[in-house]
Amino acid sequence: MLTFSANSSAATLPADTDRKIRLKKFEHFVVTQMARDNIPGLSIGYLQDKLMWTRGYGYADLENKIPATARSSYRLASVTKPMTAAAILQLVDSGKVSLDAEVQIYVPYFPKKPYPVTVRQLLGHLAGINAYVNPQLEQHFKDHKSTRESIAVFENFDLIAEPGTRFRYTSYGYNLLGAVIEGASGMSYGDYMTKNVWSPLGMTATRMDDPYDIIPGRVRGYQLQNQLQGQQIKHAEFIDVSSRFSAGGTRSNVIDMLKFGDGINRGRIASAEAQDLMFESMATNKGRLTNYSAGWLTNPVNGRFSISHDGVQPETSTYLFSFPERHLTIAVAANLQRVDTSIFAEQLFEAVTGETWDMPLYIHDAQKRVYYDAMKAVFNEGNAYFERKQAAYLDELNESKILGEAFSLFNQHLKSAALKNDAKQAQLFMSEAQHPAGGLQLRKVGSYMAKKLHDAHPQLSTYSNRGAIAFFHDYIALYKKDSSIATAFRFDEAFEQQVGQLNAAWKKTSHIKLLKQDFDMQKYIPVAGARRVASEAGLVKALATLHQKMKHAYEGAIVAPDYLADLKVLSQDLIRSGNAGHALKIGQLAQEIYPSSDGAHALAGALEISAGDKDKGVAALKTAVSLNPQGEASAVGLNNAAYRLRGTSGPEAGLKILQAAIELYPDEANLYDSQGEFYAALAMNQEALIAYQKVLDIRPGDQNAKTAIQKMQAMSKLTSGINYQH
């Protein structure tokens, strides 16, 4: 396990004492989480109004023990995309680019496709442009590429769909936008960005990445390689990212990332109309939102309006979150590839605001769960919209009839679901009602509720800590006192009763907060290789206390906080430290506390299989699937679990999960592909070849399997008698 140093920027801490205390706790969290994830170096910070707070942790260079600072220079990866989008919209403002023009107007050398490809579609990943077709080649370029050479990589790929019909996240589409910038401006992409985006915002450290340039503060990039004894830090593979120039070919520090987010929030780069395009999700031509705007992810965060973008590529992992109405931007960058940096941003948000990032609840009763899920969806969509616009969705239209119809539809579907005991009907309605094709009913209802609550008590941010139940309860209480809220904008009596029951139950359990330290057993879990005799008794006692606290908190509770994510982290910590037996008890505790949670049964199942009881583990996984076929015991969920276990305990442990997953999903090619990779890591080449052959049996054109077989045969020259397909 690594040890870490922390390096501060010159920024002044906030005067607010509570925030200072929370930031101190946050810094402890960062060091703990970096050790957990084996992150060599990380930089993070926030900018709110004129106050900037930044920190660096760990090492920018492990070999030479150079500390990471706020000025350490990281590859931005896909955080480049919102910068490219901002430049495009700037050119739209100046009349040099038309959003609905075909791309060939600005990039004449790009081949015509069966359908027109427009600039707007490229901005929203709706142009039908494919992603990597041959990742083994396209993600590993070593040579420096010009714009023309970068476009040539994919210019002859077929479209995967008619533009406008399907969202497909792709860096190639954003490379094409970089070429549009060059064609429209007459400047190179890097020169245009420096002159018109980066310099105006004071982003003096942001530049195109070039492996041969001398770049102040450049960090070394690392990866985790899976060894038989677990994961080890190694240098990242050398990749020249010039082929991803306008999609992920830049380098910067968190200070500049914060300046960029703040510049977007304040409209300093483009017009109000352009800002709307960055803040509003695009939709397919059939009216389904993609939750991606012109360059940003637009998912609401617990009823808050937010835009964000992450970035992952060799050497780096980055995240940029922005909360425009709060004038708050959070940026994080790590010099380890493929690590989830969002958790650091989420924890910093809580430290800065004092608000809960999210509030997952556990509700055992299936019908009440349907009611709560509907409430949460309306709260998320409606409150976030009101926060952004400071108005209800239908205010400008003054369409009370349409609003009344939205409330009526909500009441009808919830009532029908209750009478027929059919949760799927309500879930389908809620899923469709968030899209333009479904009338944006959630936005209509929720934003009206938010407006009325704001008018009565302008403290909407409190609902981030109180949640959707309080949001609905307070609105119902408001209209029972306020006769000006028409009957058409109210809920039926049965729904009101359900809200009342949930609110009363939540009041009883919401104050029983299990704190982070209840799950933090670090003082009882020693570093790898240390003697643990002295800590064993303390660990047993701490786990027993946790079990007792949770059992007491959940006994007879209708609704209670959901701490499953914390239990997962604790189980992983225990496995890493050689306490697999205690980890299994955590899985069993999760099953006991959350009997209707697919995630709890999936966790227990994986831990049972790891402990050697395959039958009991598979039974738990089947229960999880019955509760949620698309959940954590799905083929994708189990594949991810296998990789997590491989990281903590090595490929043999991960193989146990994969073998159980294949028993449940015998026709899932990706499971066999992972199995082949795990076998290869154990030098079990014969078994690996069989697994990859199974991939080809299911998916004959799979390039990864073909390449893997060819490499293994070339290296080992095995002749097993199996007729391998090429």
Side-chain angles (χ1 to χ4, degrees), residues 561-631:
D562 186 344
Y563 289 108
L564 183 59
D566 299 272
L567 291 174
K568 288 179 182 175
V569 172
L570 176 54
S571 68
Q572 291 166 8
D573 285 347
L574 289 166
I575 290 171
R576 283 190 186 96
S577 63
N579 289 280
H582 290 311
L584 178 57
K585 291 178 182 177
I586 294 299
Q588 293 166 346
L589 171 62
Q591 277 183 304
E592 180 183 350
I593 300 299
Y594 305 120
S596 61
S597 165
D598 72 287
H601 291 284
L603 174 63
L607 292 169
E608 293 283 4
I609 291 167
S610 298
D613 195 335
K614 182 182 176 184
D615 291 341
K616 193 172 182 179
V618 169
L621 295 179
K622 287 180 178 178
T623 300
V625 173
S626 69
L627 290 167
N628 182 5
Q630 306 304 316

Side-chain angles (χ1 to χ4, degrees), residues 464-713:
S464 295
N465 283 338
R466 298 176 61 213
I469 294 174
F471 182 76
F472 271 77
H473 175 267
D474 289 359
Y475 177 73
I476 292 169
L478 179 64
Y479 69 60
K480 287 187 175 180
K481 293 179 181 178
D482 185 352
S483 59
S484 69
I485 299 177
T487 303
F489 310 148
R490 304 184 180 197
F491 301 105
D492 64 32
E493 187 176 347
F495 183 79
E496 290 177 354
Q497 290 175 355
Q498 290 288 339
V499 172
Q501 291 173 18
L502 284 168
N503 187 65
W506 180 232
K507 281 185 176 180
K508 293 179 181 179
T509 57
S510 61
H511 69 280
I512 306 175
K513 301 281 189 188
L514 293 176
L515 304 175
K516 290 291 182 186
Q517 53 260 39
D518 289 315
F519 299 96
D520 186 1
M521 307 290 173
Q522 291 298 315
K523 59 184 175 181
Y524 305 117
I525 302 174
V527 296
R531 295 175 62 85
R532 61 187 182 92
V533 175
S535 63
E536 177 68 17
L539 177 59
V540 170
K541 184 178 179 181
L543 291 171
T545 301
L546 174 63
H547 188 284
Q548 184 180 16
K549 277 188 176 184
M550 294 197 74
K551 193 169 183 180
H552 173 74
Y554 286 78
E555 193 168 9
I558 294 175
V559 55
D562 186 344
Y563 289 108
L564 183 59
D566 299 272
L567 291 174
K568 288 179 182 175
V569 172
L570 176 54
S571 68
Q572 291 166 8
D573 285 347
L574 289 166
I575 290 171
R576 283 190 186 96
S577 63
N579 289 280
H582 290 311
L584 178 57
K585 291 178 182 177
I586 294 299
Q588 293 166 346
L589 171 62
Q591 277 183 304
E592 180 183 350
I593 300 299
Y594 305 120
S596 61
S597 165
D598 72 287
H601 291 284
L603 174 63
L607 292 169
E608 293 283 4
I609 291 167
S610 298
D613 195 335
K614 182 182 176 184
D615 291 341
K616 193 172 182 179
V618 169
L621 295 179
K622 287 180 178 178
T623 300
V625 173
S626 69
L627 290 167
N628 182 5
Q630 306 304 316
E632 297 190 35
S634 65
V636 172
L638 292 176
N639 192 63
N640 291 338
Y643 274 92
R644 285 195 298 271
L645 196 56
R646 175 184 176 176
T648 56
S649 304
E652 285 181 323
L655 271 171
K656 292 181 180 179
I657 304 300
L658 286 175
Q659 287 161 350
I662 287 170
E663 184 175 319
L664 292 173
Y665 306 101
D667 298 321
E668 187 63 44
N670 195 47
L671 293 174
Y672 293 100
D673 185 85
S674 298
Q675 188 183 48
E677 181 185 328
F678 285 30
Y679 275 132
L682 291 166
M684 299 173 67
N685 293 344
Q686 186 67 37
E687 290 81 357
L689 286 167
I690 293 172
Y692 283 124
Q693 178 60 39
K694 185 65 178 177
V695 175
L696 293 176
D697 291 342
I698 299 170
R699 214 161 49 196
D702 190 278
Q703 187 60 48
N704 186 64
K706 288 181 178 180
T707 302
I709 288 175
Q710 290 167 356
K711 283 185 176 180
M712 293 176 69
Q713 287 183 323

Side-chain angles (χ1 to χ4, degrees), residues 303 305 325 379-393 395 443 446-455 458 460 471:
F305 169 54
E325 298 309 312
F379 169 62
N380 255 338
E381 293 291 328
N383 202 64
Y385 182 86
F386 183 83
E387 181 176 284
R388 174 188 162 200
K389 294 285 192 176
Q390 293 298 297
Y393 178 60
D395 270 4
R443 182 179 294 183
S447 63
Y448 179 81
M449 293 171 65
K451 181 180 187 301
K452 287 299 181 182
L453 288 169
H454 177 267
D455 290 346
L460 280 181
F471 182 76

Side-chain angles (χ1 to χ4, degrees), residues 60-80:
D61 181 336
L62 271 176
E63 288 174 318
N64 298 296
K65 295 294 183 287
I66 298 173
T69 73
R71 298 189 180 279
S72 295
S73 179
Y74 299 83
R75 283 181 170 177
L76 289 184
S78 288
V79 173
T80 305

